[in-house]
């Protein structure tokens, strides 16, 4: 399965390109706990901050693509036959994750991350699906602390990750994974660059567990 073909299918199946018609698509909604590791001074102060991992995707498998070929422009139908699955997020405004980490001891943090662009590559398919992926991120987080400088962290970044998905039934799945995000470094207490990269916020790791529910949804493509 080639990334270029997947990207093409994501484009051609978008409402802008594909011919408008009523179809029913399987929608996957996932939510679950996440642990964030802000490497550097924040990690030294408190290794783990908590939050939620979110996802909303239309999951178009081989059977769906075969049954709905008329929703795909004819010049792209040959690509649909060569992929096992395409996943499309309906909006870039749906958050990828939320940081919800109250101050238990010295430091608390609240924030939100969006992933306006992402690509995934499945390594296996079926009831056990292993995938690697990456994307472009935008994160805002407010850090308030008794030991660190209060900081409004606002930075773009890029991430790589791995995801293991277990399909327990057609409508219920569990996934767990790890994502490692690199950001434009930011100093604590300000919006500028730190004197040394390791003295600011530049690398955030995220471990997560998600519970997924899938259901049919009628829409126009």
């Amino acid at each position: 399965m080639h990334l270029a073909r997947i990207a093409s299918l994501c484009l051609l199946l978008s409402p802008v390109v594909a011919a408008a018609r009523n179809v029913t698509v399987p929608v996957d909604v996932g939510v679950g706990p996440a642990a964030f590791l802000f490497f550097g001074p924040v990690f030294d102060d408190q290794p783990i901050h908590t939050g939620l991992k979110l996802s909303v995707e239309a999951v178009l498998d081989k059977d769906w693509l075969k049954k709905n070929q008329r929703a795909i422009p004819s010049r792209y139908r040959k690509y649909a036959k060569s992929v096992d699955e395409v996943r499309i997020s309906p909006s870039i405004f749906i958050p990828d994750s939320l940081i919800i980490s109250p101050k238990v001891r010295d430091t608390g943090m609240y924030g939100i991350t969006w992933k306006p662009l992402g690509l995934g590559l499945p390594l296996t398919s079926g009831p056990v699906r292993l995938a690697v992926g990456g994307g472009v991120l935008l994160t805002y987080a407010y850090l308030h602390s008794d030991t660190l400088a209060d900081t409004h962290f606002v930075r773009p970044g890029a991430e790589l990750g791995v995801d293991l998905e277990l399909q327990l039934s057609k409508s219920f799945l569990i996934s767990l994974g790890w994502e490692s995000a690199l950001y434009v470094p930011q100093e604590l207490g300000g919006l500028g660059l730190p004197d040394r990269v390791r003295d600011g916020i530049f690398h955030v790791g995220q471990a997560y567990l998600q519970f997924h529910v899938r259901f049919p949804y009628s829409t126009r493509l």
Side-chain angles (χ1 to χ4, degrees), residues 108-190:
M109 188 181 300
Y110 298 92
I112 184 170
T113 292
W114 293 273
K115 186 188 296 184
L117 177 62
L119 285 176
L121 177 62
L123 303 179
T124 63
S125 59
V128 179
R129 179 180 183 270
L130 179 65
V132 295
V136 176
L137 305 176
L138 176 63
T139 295
Y140 167 77
Y142 173 60
L143 180 150
H144 59 105
S145 175
D146 298 329
T147 54
L148 301 171
D150 291 354
T151 302
H152 291 274
F153 176 72
V154 185
R155 282 297 192 263
E159 62 88 13
L160 293 174
V162 60
D163 181 270
L164 178 63
E165 183 180 87
L166 308 175
Q167 184 171 3
L168 304 182
S169 70
K170 288 186 177 181
S171 59
F172 182 70
L173 305 89
I174 295 177
S175 66
L176 63 156
W178 170 267
E179 293 180 351
S180 188
L182 293 176
Y183 292 92
V184 177
Q186 181 175 327
E187 63 183 351
L188 294 179

Side-chain angles (χ1 to χ4, degrees), residues 2-156:
H2 299 292
L3 285 176
R5 291 179 177 177
I6 297 175
S8 297
L9 279 173
C10 290
L11 178 62
L12 67 91
L13 287 169
S14 67
V16 176
V17 178
R21 62 189 298 265
N22 288 319
V23 294
T24 299
V25 298
V27 173
D28 183 297
V29 177
V31 62
F36 299 89
L37 291 74
F38 283 72
F39 296 104
V42 179
F43 183 87
D44 295 337
D45 173 79
Q46 181 175 316
I48 296 176
H49 288 274
T50 57
L52 294 173
K53 178 73 170 177
L54 309 173
S55 64
V56 179
E57 296 176 317
V59 181
L60 312 181
D61 60 16
K62 187 179 286 290
D63 290 339
W64 190 96
L65 294 170
K66 182 178 180 180
K67 293 177 182 178
N68 293 274
Q69 290 189 37
R70 294 180 64 184
I72 305 172
S74 58
R75 64 183 180 277
Y76 294 118
R77 288 173 187 169
K78 63 179 181 180
Y79 294 120
K81 297 178 181 179
S82 63
V83 299
D84 294 324
E85 186 178 87
V86 178
R87 299 190 176 198
I88 306 171
S89 179
S91 174
I92 64 173
F93 298 106
I94 297 174
D96 179 76
S97 56
L98 301 175
I99 302 170
I100 309 171
S101 187
K103 182 191 290 186
V104 176
R105 190 178 62 182
D106 298 318
T107 302
M109 188 181 300
Y110 298 92
I112 184 170
T113 292
W114 293 273
K115 186 188 296 184
L117 177 62
L119 285 176
L121 177 62
L123 303 179
T124 63
S125 59
V128 179
R129 179 180 183 270
L130 179 65
V132 295
V136 176
L137 305 176
L138 176 63
T139 295
Y140 167 77
Y142 173 60
L143 180 150
H144 59 105
S145 175
D146 298 329
T147 54
L148 301 171
D150 291 354
T151 302
H152 291 274
F153 176 72
V154 185
R155 282 297 192 263

